[in-house]
Structures are given as structure tokens and as C-alpha cells.
């Protein structure tokens, strides 16, 4: 059974009072716990393999400074969503933090699965941060596992990870201590780092902070030098998670500058922007400060959250970015604007300043009431073109519309019977951007006979057994134009839970199920049908869903 990821809420109600006190003090307590003098300058460059730390910076093997610009992806709960890595890359990210399980709390990700993740990251030219999530909130959450158990899991993956030091960073355990006695974080963190080094790991190791990753009591900040010096290789980077604790600019800049001033490496390994019941994180300052200080950031998270307010993409669909996703990928100091691909993938040299040539004027190849498909002639570059940014032009301004790694894209979410103007930029591996292409004007259809508004669904149970069953759903396009893209929605009335699906990908919250197509079912021709199969868990009753809809419209 697929387990939904835990909420990214960072604090329980019992800890809110302490958080408020820390906020009122303006983190003065943290400054007292760890004045700048306590964080002495880091040692000089040490021998390293692949990605490594030198003078407080994360470098590639060739000495190129590498600044992470990416997102988190909940692979362990959604192992079928491997297309997400390509989608994340297409939006401009240069790195991804991948959620894994060591088997303590969730189903263990096997060596073969981890090897496949690494291969897919490399194929999509992404630096891969691998993390064990089972340690989340240890000491406060009774279900959490230990860093020692996580270290044993990594050692079991040594054959998979050996030789991948150029491409993989090992994040030992996610948020490996809660709010109960967070001072207990230091010793097991040091022990886990030493255990991996004794086992022969040469990778850069990432360690998360206590207090559910937010370090609001300053334990990691106060003990950063101790932990860093315990790693004989010097290849260790600290990760702070910034949610509602960090709701003022001063808190953010004080925390990050303390590490930079001391020559200690740090990045924002997770952060959120949407407000929650404890506050409103200041993501603008987080991103601006990270850019100013050349620090990495990895936004939480691509899709599939228990609380969908933190989904960057809705239902794992890169064409349906949330407002949070638009902020991360296309906003000020965002990924599209600041990300540079790692040079290990054969991209531009660190001093590459030559922009790609201008793409060809877009041509319109398909139009519906809510989307247009554009194509254009490719750009060229002295190294390699890595992607294209499509913008909407109007009233003297530009609005990001879509990104693509190929010379075509479908822009969705448009308004029927509305005129739009689009143009294209090209990007290279060094982050250089071309001049804007010539623009094309297009008007969406008026909505009459809109593809996706006419459909019929057939549902049947193929086989049934105690505790489970196999079902089949046939989606028929009764309209006069091809149906693409599409999303099927329905609700199970008796607590049934999809465990596996072919022909599409299911996400489920309670009884509500949303299905997006596989590549081979993505288009339903006029008068045509695609069939989805699935297995599901059930209780004593197995009543069929009462209704189905496609793209929000009820089907027969």
C-alpha cells in the first residue's frame, strides 16, 4: 500500500510557546550559543574525490563552484513517478533531493531502486542528493529511526554508490532530531559521519539540523565546528530547513551569515513559502540571501504532499505549477533565473559567458480553448543548449509560461477565446540566456466542442480476493477532437486504496483519486478509448465510484 508522506508541518502545538519566545528574542539566544568567534575558520583544502568541500564551498572535482538550485522529490512514497526527474530538470533545476527509506518506518528502497534513481538523475543531468527520511523527528516522534540505523543502510548501498562521488551527495538522515532534548543531536551525528568514513565513503556528506530541521534552539549552529572537524575528509555540508520559524528577514540572514562568516558550508536543504498555522515563512529573503551568498537551496517539494499547499506541481504535472511552484521556478532569484548545470555533465566551462543564438519564431501547431502547442527552430551554442523558456508577452511585460528541453511545448491553463502573444529564450549549461525570439500571436478557441468536455467512463472489477481486487477503467472521448492532456477524477466510497496502476498514475487523498495518463495513454483520439488497470486494497465492501470526471467535467 502506498503511504502518503508526512505533513511538512515543522512544530507541534506543545513547542509553539518556545518558538514564539525564540522569535521574540530575535534569535539573540542563538547568537549567545554560538558567537562568530566560536565558529573558527575552516581548515584549508583537503584531498577530495568528486563533489567536495573547500574553504566552506561546495566544489566539483574540477574546482568549479557548484550552487544547488533544485527541489525535493518524494520518491519513496511515489516510486512510479520517475518521470518527475526529467520534469524537474526541464524546469531548469540543477539538482534534486530524493526521499528514500531505510526500512525502519517505510518500505526500504532496494539497492537496485537506488541505482536506478542515480542513473535517472545522471541521465537528466541532475546532481542527486539522497536522503533517508525515517529519522525524521527522532527523540520526539516514537516512530522515527536512528542515524546509526541510517548509516548502516548507506553502508549496504556502498557498492551502488561507489564511483558516483561526482554526482551524488549522501544526506545521512532527514531532520534527525525533534524538539525533545535537541542537544542530543551532536553525538549521534558525529558517530554516523565517522561510521560512513570508516566504511570508505568519500562522498560529500550532508547533515540536517535538529528541531525538525529548523535548529531554532541553535544546537547545530553551536556545534557546527565540532561536527565538521570530526569528518577527517572535510567533505561535510550542513543543511538548515526553513519553514515558519524563519518568518523574518533578520532570522534568515543572521543564521546563514553565521556559517558563511565562519567558513562553514551550508545550504537550505528544505524550505516552504505558503503560510501555515504557525506563521508565514519569508521565502523571498531565503532565496535572495541564498543568491547573494552563493548558497544552495532545495525547495519542498515537487508533488504528493499530504498537505497539497506545498506541492510545486499539481498531481506531478509539470504543466500545472502551483503558485508556490511558479515562485520557485520562475520568480525572482528562482531556479530558471539562477540555476547553472554542473560541469561534470559536459556543459560550459565556469568562465563561459557566451549566450546561445536566438531561437526561431514560434509556430502554432495545436490550439484548444485552454492550451496552445508551440514549436520553434533550435538555437545553437558554443557548448550546449540545455533548455528553452517560453514567455507570455503583453503590455510591455513578460510572464513565464513554460519551459522545455526540446523545441516544442504545450502551454496550458489558458482562458478560452483569448488572444495571447508568446516568445522563446534559449539557455545553455552555464546559465547564459539568449535574446528573445520573435513573437507569435494566437487566440484560444471559444470553448464550443472543447476537447475533454465530452467523455464516457466504464468501470469494472476484473477479479476480487480477501482484502483486495483488480479493477479496470475505460475512458472514452465522445468529442470531435483529440483529448489531451487529461486528468481523471473519482472517489471510492468504501475506503478502497489504489496500490498499483498501469496506463496512468494515481494519487489518492482519502477516497478521492486523481489519475494522470502514462505517455502511451496521454492522447485519447476523437471517438477513441484508453484503458487503465489497477489493483487496490479493500475492506468488506467494494462499491463502485458513483461518478467520474475528466478535466473537471462530469462524464457519462
Amino acid at each position: 500500500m502506498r503511504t502518503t508522506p508526512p505533513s511538512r508541518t515543522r512544530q507541534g502545538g506543545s513547542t509553539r510557546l518556545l518558538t514564539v519566545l525564540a522569535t521574540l528574542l530575535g534569535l539573540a539566544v542563538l547568537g549567545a550559543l554560538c558567537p562568530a568567534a566560536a565558529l573558527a575558520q575552516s581548515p584549508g583544502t583537503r584531498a577530495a574525490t568528486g563533489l567536495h568541500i573547500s574553504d566552506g564551498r561546495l566544489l566539483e572535482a574540477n574546482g568549479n563552484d557548484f550552487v544547488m538550485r533544485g527541489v525535493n522529490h518524494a520518491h519513496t512514497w511515489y516510486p512510479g513517478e520517475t518521470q518527475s526527474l526529467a520534469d524537474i530538470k526541464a524546469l531548469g533545476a540543477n539538482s534534486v533531493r530524493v526521499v528514500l527509506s531505510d526500512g525502519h518506518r517505510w518500505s526500504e528502497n532496494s539497492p537496485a531502486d537506488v541505482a536506478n534513481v542515480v542513473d535517472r538523475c545522471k541521465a537528466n543531468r541532475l546532481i542527486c542528493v539522497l536522503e533517508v527520511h525515517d529519522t525524521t523527528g527522532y527523540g520526539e516522534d516514537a516512530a522515527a529511526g536512528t542515524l546509526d540505523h541510517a548509516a548502516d543502510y548507506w553502508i549496504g548501498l556502498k557498492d551502488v554508490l561507489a564511483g558516483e562521488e561526482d554526482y551524488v551527495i549522501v544526506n545521512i538522515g532527514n531532520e534527525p532530531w525533534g524538539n525533545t532534548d535537541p542537544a542530543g543531536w551532536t553525538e549521534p551525528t558525529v558517530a554516523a559521519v565517522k561510521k560512513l568514513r570508516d566504511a570508505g565513503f568519500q562522498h560529500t556528506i550532508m547533515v540536517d539540523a535538529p528541531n525538525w530541521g529548523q535548529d531554532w534552539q541553535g544546537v547545530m549552529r553551536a556545534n557546527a565546528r565540532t561536527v565538521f572537524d570530526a569528518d577527517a575528509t572535510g567533505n561535510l555540508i550542513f543543511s538548515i530547513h526553513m519553514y515558519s520559524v524563519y518568518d523574518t528577514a533578520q532570522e534568515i540572514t543572521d543564521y546563514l551569515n553565521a556559517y558563511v562568516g565562519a567558513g562553514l558550508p551550508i545550504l537550505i536543504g528544505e524550505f516552504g513559502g505558503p503560510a501555515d498555522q504557525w506563521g508565514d515563512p519569508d521565502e523571498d529573503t531565503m532565496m535572495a540571501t541564498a543568491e547573494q551568498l552563493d548558497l544552495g537551496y532545495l525547495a519542498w517539494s515537487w508533488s504528493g504532499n499530504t498537505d497539497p499547499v506545498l506541492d510545486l506541481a499539481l498531481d506531478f504535472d509539470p504543466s500545472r505549477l502551483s503558485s508556490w511552484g511558479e515562485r520557485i521556478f520562475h520568480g525572482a532569484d528562482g531556479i530558471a533565473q539562477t540555476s547553472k548545470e554542473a560541469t561534470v555533465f559536459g556543459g560550459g566551462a565556469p568562465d563561459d559567458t557566451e549566450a546561445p543564438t536566438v531561437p526561431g519564431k514560434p509556430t502554432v501547431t495545436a490550439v484548444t480553448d485552454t492550451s496552445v502547442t508551440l514549436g520553434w527552430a533550435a538555437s545553437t551554442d558554443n557548448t550546449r543548449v540545455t533548455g528553452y523558456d517560453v514567455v507570455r508577452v503583453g503590455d510591455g511585460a513578460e510572464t513565464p509560461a513554460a519551459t522545455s528541453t526540446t523545441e516544442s511545448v504545450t502551454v496550458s491553463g489558458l482562458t478560452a477565446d483569448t488572444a495571447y502573444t508568446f516568445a522563446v529564450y534559449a539557455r545553455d549549461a552555464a546559465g547564459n540566456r539568449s535574446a528573445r525570439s520573435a513573437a507569435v500571436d494566437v487566440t484560444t478557441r471559444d470553448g464550443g466542442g472543447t476537447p475533454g468536455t465530452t467523455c464516457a467512463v466504464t468501470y469494472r472489477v476484473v477479479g476480487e480476493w480477501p482484502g483486495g481486487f483488480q479493477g479496470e477503467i475505460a475512458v472514452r472521448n465522445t468529442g470531435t477532437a483529440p483529448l489531451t492532456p487529461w486528468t481523471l477524477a473519482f472517489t471510492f466510497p468504501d475506503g478502497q486504496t489504489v496500490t498499483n496502476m498501469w496506463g496512468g498514475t494515481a494519487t489518492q487523498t482519502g477516497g478521492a483519486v486523481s489519475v494522470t495518463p502514462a505517455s502511451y495513454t496521454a492522447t485519447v483520439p476523437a471517438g477513441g478509448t484508453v484503458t487503465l488497470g489497477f489493483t487496490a486494497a479493500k475492506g468488506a465492501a467494494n462499491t463502485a465510484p458513483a461518478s467520474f470526471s475528466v478535466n473537471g467535467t462530469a462524464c457519462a
Side-chain angles (χ1 to χ4, degrees), residues 10-45:
R10 312 320 310 151
Q11 311 156 52
S14 63
T15 65
R16 178 56 179 161
L17 177 59
L18 292 175
T19 304
V20 171
L21 290 174
T23 302
L24 291 175
L25 289 171
L27 291 186
V29 173
L30 299 192
L33 284 171
C34 185
L39 297 178
Q41 293 299 308
S42 62
T45 303

Side-chain angles (χ1 to χ4, degrees), residues 134-515:
D134 307 67
T135 57
T136 305
Y138 180 80
E140 184 175 354
D141 188 338
T146 65
L147 280 170
D148 186 65
H149 188 270
D152 287 338
Y153 173 72
W154 293 118
I155 291 170
L157 292 172
K158 185 179 178 183
D159 289 345
V160 169
L161 300 178
E164 303 293 351
E165 292 86 355
D166 281 315
Y167 308 96
V168 172
I169 292 174
V170 175
N171 189 177
I172 304 178
N174 182 69
E175 301 175 2
W177 212 276
N179 292 319
T180 304
D181 186 27
W185 165 90
T186 305
E187 184 177 341
T189 299
V190 167
V193 171
K194 289 184 174 180
K195 193 169 192 176
L196 292 185
R197 295 307 186 204
D198 290 344
F201 276 75
Q202 296 297 311
H203 304 71
T204 292
I205 290 176
M206 184 182 294
V207 295
D208 284 8
N211 295 128
W212 300 88
Q214 295 199 89
D215 200 31
W216 59 270
Q217 290 176 298
V219 170
M220 185 171 82
R221 182 172 167 178
N223 293 278
R225 171 58 57 203
T226 298
V227 175
F228 187 82
D229 287 347
D231 182 1
T233 72
N235 294 324
L236 183 142
I237 187 168
F238 296 97
S239 173
I240 182 66
H241 293 183
M242 291 186 164
Y243 292 93
S244 54
V245 166
Y246 295 91
D247 55 2
T248 69
Q250 193 68 50
E251 292 165 330
I252 295 162
T253 57
D254 281 354
Y255 195 92
L256 296 176
N257 275 294
Y259 287 80
V260 173
L264 287 167
I266 190 168
L267 84 159
I268 306 174
E270 287 185 20
F271 68 104
D276 59 28
Q277 61 265 49
W278 290 291
D280 187 0
D282 184 0
E283 70 275 14
D284 291 342
T285 298
M286 296 175 202
M287 296 168 70
T289 305
E291 179 63 13
Q292 176 193 0
L293 299 175
D294 283 333
L295 302 180
Y297 65 65
L298 300 165
W300 187 276
S301 80
W302 178 242
S303 197
N305 286 283
T306 304
D307 182 355
V309 71
L310 284 171
D311 284 355
L312 297 161
L314 305 180
D315 297 325
F316 296 92
D317 184 349
S319 69
R320 298 172 61 210
L321 293 183
S322 65
S323 58
W324 174 225
E326 290 289 351
R327 173 70 188 90
I328 290 299
F329 287 105
H330 301 308
D333 302 307
I335 286 173
Q337 187 180 98
T338 66
S339 175
K340 294 185 178 182
E341 185 178 88
T343 59
V344 71
F345 296 115
D351 59 353
D352 177 17
T353 59
E354 183 176 334
T357 61
V358 181
K361 178 181 178 178
T363 58
V364 179
T365 59
V367 182
T368 73
D369 61 329
T370 60
S371 68
V372 298
T373 300
L374 307 172
W376 55 87
S379 296
T380 58
D381 187 60
N382 62 318
T383 57
R384 186 176 64 87
V385 174
T386 58
Y388 296 91
D389 301 323
V390 178
V391 296
R392 200 169 70 203
V393 183
D395 297 326
E398 293 181 357
T399 303
T403 61
S404 177
T405 55
T406 64
E407 290 76 44
S408 66
V409 74
T410 297
V411 182
S412 57
L414 305 179
T415 302
D417 196 23
T418 301
Y420 292 92
T421 301
F422 295 100
V424 184
Y425 292 91
R427 284 179 282 106
D428 69 11
N432 300 307
R433 204 182 196 199
S434 73
R436 194 174 79 187
S437 74
V440 64
D441 298 322
V442 59
T443 300
T444 51
R445 294 181 178 176
D446 63 9
T450 303
T453 61
T454 309
C455 54
V457 171
T458 302
Y459 174 93
R460 72 186 184 103
V461 173
V462 177
E464 198 166 1
W465 55 89
F469 70 103
Q470 179 178 334
E472 183 180 275
I473 303 172
V475 180
R476 179 173 175 79
N477 177 10
T478 58
T480 59
L483 172 59
T484 187
W486 59 267
T487 301
L488 172 72
F490 60 91
T491 299
F492 279 124
D494 298 321
Q496 301 99 316
T497 306
V498 175
T499 55
N500 189 34
M501 177 170 280
W502 48 99
T505 300
T507 56
Q508 185 167 354
T509 303
V513 181
S514 177
V515 180

